[in-house]
Amino acid sequence: MGKRKFDDDQITGILKEHQAGVKVADVCHKHGISEPTFYRWQSLQFGNAGLDARRVRALEEENQKLKKLLAEAMLSAATLSEMLAKTSKGRS
């Protein structure tokens, strides 16, 4: 499979041009793409496949990292408060 000529952001921009009222043929001619390519991109964006799949995956990975950091911070806080409670009881 060859290198893609357009990235996801560019494809989204091209599709938004059409949504703004420019004819499909004019958009395709301007960007040097065929009409079937345009309609394939459109179906991918509006069908649940989405051109934002890469962004969604990146957000999911970031979410997992943040959940892990939160769990570690909560464990650390629980450990510290347990140690503080033991230390406080020993001084009484």
Side-chain angles (χ1 to χ4, degrees):
M1 190 168 192
K3 183 180 176 199
R4 291 174 51 180
K5 186 175 179 181
F6 298 98
D7 65 15
D8 291 345
D9 294 331
Q10 292 170 323
I11 293 170
T12 303
I14 292 169
L15 294 174
K16 284 183 181 180
E17 275 185 49
H18 171 64
Q19 289 175 346
V22 181
K23 293 182 181 179
V24 173
D26 294 337
V27 172
C28 292
H29 180 71
K30 178 181 176 184
H31 295 286
I33 60 173
S34 66
E35 288 188 28
T37 297
F38 175 85
Y39 288 116
R40 182 170 35 88
W41 289 348
Q42 194 175 41
S43 70
L44 286 173
Q45 186 177 33
F46 294 118
N48 235 349
L51 294 174
D52 296 326
R54 186 184 319 156
R55 286 190 211 126
V56 170
R57 268 184 259 125
L59 288 172
E60 287 174 349
E61 289 174 8
E62 182 180 5
N63 192 23
Q64 288 299 319
K65 289 177 187 176
L66 291 172
K67 284 181 178 180
K68 183 178 178 182
L69 286 172
L70 176 63
E72 290 172 355
M74 290 175 70
L75 180 62
S76 178
T79 304
L80 288 173
S81 60
E82 186 179 313
M83 289 173 56
L84 182 62
K86 287 181 181 178
T87 309
S88 299
K89 288 180 183 176
R91 291 185 179 175
S92 300

